[in-house]
Amino acid sequence: MKITLWGVRGSIPTSGPDTRHYGGNTPCIEVSEDGWTLILDAGSGMQRLNSSIKLENKRVDILLTHLHFDHIQGLGFFKALFNPEMEVHIWGPASTLTSLRSRLGKYFSPPLFPVHFRDLPCKLHLHEVENSTFTIGPFVINSRYVTHLGPTIGFRISDKHAVLSYIPDHEPALGPKGLSKDLKWLSGSDLALNSDLLLHDGQFSSEEYKNKVGWGHCSMEDATAFAALAGVKHLMLFHHDPSHTDQQLDKLFRDINHIKGGKMKLDLAVEGTEINLPKVVK
Amino acid sequence: MAYDIEIILNRQLADCLSIPVFITDTKGNLLFYNEPAEEILGKRFEDTGEMPVEIWSTIFKTKEFDGSDIHPKDLPLVKTLTEQLPFHKTFLMESLLGKSEKISLTSYPIIGRTGKFLGAVAIFWRQKEE
Ligand SMILES: [Zn+2]
Ligand SMILES: [Zn+2]
């Protein structure tokens, strides 16, 4: 499983000299295996993916965790949507009342976007998923609702070699007692269980989180504790706060050094990183 | 397997409330009760953990106001579990000290985003002594 991080920033694209190292693009991850390609979220990182992606089998699958703008804003610029030979599958969370098509259609329509959904020339297939298991080529994918704002799912992606878990927007510590130590009562725990790599929300420092309870995100400390409880082998903190410069991220990361412990590898996600699972190459 | 997010969030809410709250699965097995509910049950969640429906349902001694027994199928929570609708009833309940107390019970079904029935919540309202 080859994984490329095209966008690791949360909330809003934040490019500039202060974010050059960790990157300013919002979530977009490419996962490939045996000529099959999955794209996890369609943030502004999609634009970087556009220039490098090789679509060998005329099919691409986009897995959306939720429809907050930082996770879909790159979608309209994805080149495969405008190629009549391409089969594009979009998988996203089911909601109570509105279909995925009509929710995405709010973005794919004027005045927000000039092209209507129905006018996209590709062969487009939409799939609503909830607590589901589905297969795409060599990948078996589990999706489950997690604690965030609005219908939001996380993904667990397995191939014959490795397991990748992706929970970019997640507040597992919501509640008066913080993070549950009992996995049964811990949102997202079965997605992350014993995975080789977990990309997880680590938007805030624990100090910042005190004033952001209920915003749907996670402190770096809670994310680390969550991953350790779930037996994750390698945690990459993801969805960096747009107000955090490279320098601040480095400092925040140094500050959580004391809780690292155990065998789990821990680092901050860096835009442009390529990972081969199970072997990690930076 | 972790519980559905709707169950987890109901527990988090219950943990913040000063009114007794019981959360069950679709069969009525008790998944969680909060601290105010511990007082009614006379047990601590920390000690018991989850409880099968056969066990926890026998702890309560309930009566109609005329002293007759309440048929289990007339209890709000039982009705919620069978009909997947909210119910409310006021009745007498024998406290752990053997005293009869006027209790109101509201129960509602937990129906998730996709319309799936996931469990039920029962809230006890203790009536003030006049
Ligand atoms: Zn986000
Ligand atoms: Zn979000």
Side-chain angles (χ1 to χ4, degrees), chain A residues 66 68 70-71 148-149 152 169 216-217 239:
Chain A
H66 62 311
H68 282 163
D70 52 329
H71 298 254
H148 188 52
L149 305 173
T152 303
D169 292 45
H217 293 291
H239 207 274

Side-chain angles (χ1 to χ4, degrees), chain A residues 206-217:
Chain A
S206 54
E207 207 45 47
E208 289 166 331
Y209 181 62
K210 286 180 193 162
N211 295 317
K212 304 276 170 78
V213 172
W215 287 39
H217 293 291

Side-chain angles (χ1 to χ4, degrees), chain A residues 132-159:
Chain A
S132 313
T133 302
F134 50 102
T135 303
I136 300 171
F139 303 105
V140 176
I141 298 151
N142 296 97
S143 59
R144 264 183 94 77
Y145 287 117
V146 294
T147 314
H148 188 52
L149 305 173
T152 303
I153 48 180
F155 295 109
R156 178 183 177 91
I157 299 160
S158 315
D159 68 4

Side-chain angles (χ1 to χ4, degrees), chain A residues 10-66:
Chain A
S11 310
I12 186 170
T14 316
S15 57
D18 291 341
T19 56
R20 190 170 289 146
H21 176 65
Y22 290 103
N25 279 307
T26 64
C28 186
I29 313 290
E30 181 184 353
V31 182
S32 54
E33 173 84 22
D34 295 343
W36 289 76
T37 302
L38 306 179
I39 297 167
L40 312 182
D41 280 330
S44 68
M46 196 120 213
Q47 187 52 25
R48 285 195 67 187
L49 169 138
N50 261 333
S51 52
S52 87
I53 193 167
K54 292 180 198 69
L55 297 166
E56 292 161 13
N57 76 352
K58 296 286 172 218
R59 166 173 172 161
V60 62
D61 290 75
I62 302 169
L63 278 57
L64 301 175
T65 55
H66 62 311

Side-chain angles (χ1 to χ4, degrees), chain A residues 95-266:
Chain A
S95 171
T96 314
L97 298 172
T98 336
S99 69
L100 182 62
R101 174 172 285 274
S102 101
R103 280 176 287 146
L104 279 173
K106 286 184 187 161
Y107 165 44
F108 278 95
S109 56
L112 289 180
F113 198 72
V115 186
H116 281 281
F117 231 179
R118 59 171 182 274
D119 296 328
L120 291 171
C122 71
K123 299 176 195 96
L124 187 64
H125 303 267
L126 294 177
H127 309 267
E128 301 202 3
V129 286
E130 32 167 319
N131 297 332
S132 313
T133 302
F134 50 102
T135 303
I136 300 171
F139 303 105
V140 176
I141 298 151
N142 296 97
S143 59
R144 264 183 94 77
Y145 287 117
V146 294
T147 314
H148 188 52
L149 305 173
T152 303
I153 48 180
F155 295 109
R156 178 183 177 91
I157 299 160
S158 315
D159 68 4
K160 53 184 184 290
H161 305 295
V163 176
L164 163 69
S165 305
Y166 179 63
I167 320 177
D169 292 45
H170 188 207
E171 188 172 4
L174 185 66
K177 292 175 185 151
L179 211 66
S180 166
K181 305 280 179 292
D182 181 349
L183 291 183
K184 266 199 300 191
W185 289 99
L186 187 56
S187 163
S189 62
D190 30 15
L191 292 173
L193 197 67
N194 299 325
S195 65
D196 295 290
L197 174 65
L198 167 64
L199 294 163
H200 192 279
D201 192 331
Q203 180 145 355
F204 303 126
S205 69
S206 54
E207 207 45 47
E208 289 166 331
Y209 181 62
K210 286 180 193 162
N211 295 317
K212 304 276 170 78
V213 172
W215 287 39
H217 293 291
C218 193
S219 72
M220 292 179 174
E221 285 84 343
D222 284 338
T224 308
F226 169 87
L229 278 165
V232 167
K233 296 188 187 75
H234 181 188
L235 167 65
M236 276 191 166
L237 296 169
F238 192 83
H239 207 274
H240 307 313
D241 192 89
S243 73
H244 290 161
T245 63
D246 289 338
Q247 238 183 355
Q248 284 169 312
L249 280 171
D250 285 336
K251 182 182 178 310
L252 292 173
F253 190 63
R254 278 197 302 276
D255 291 349
I256 59 163
N257 265 343
H258 66 282
I259 54 162
K260 277 190 193 174
K263 280 184 287 175
M264 185 175 72
K265 188 174 182 237
L266 171 66

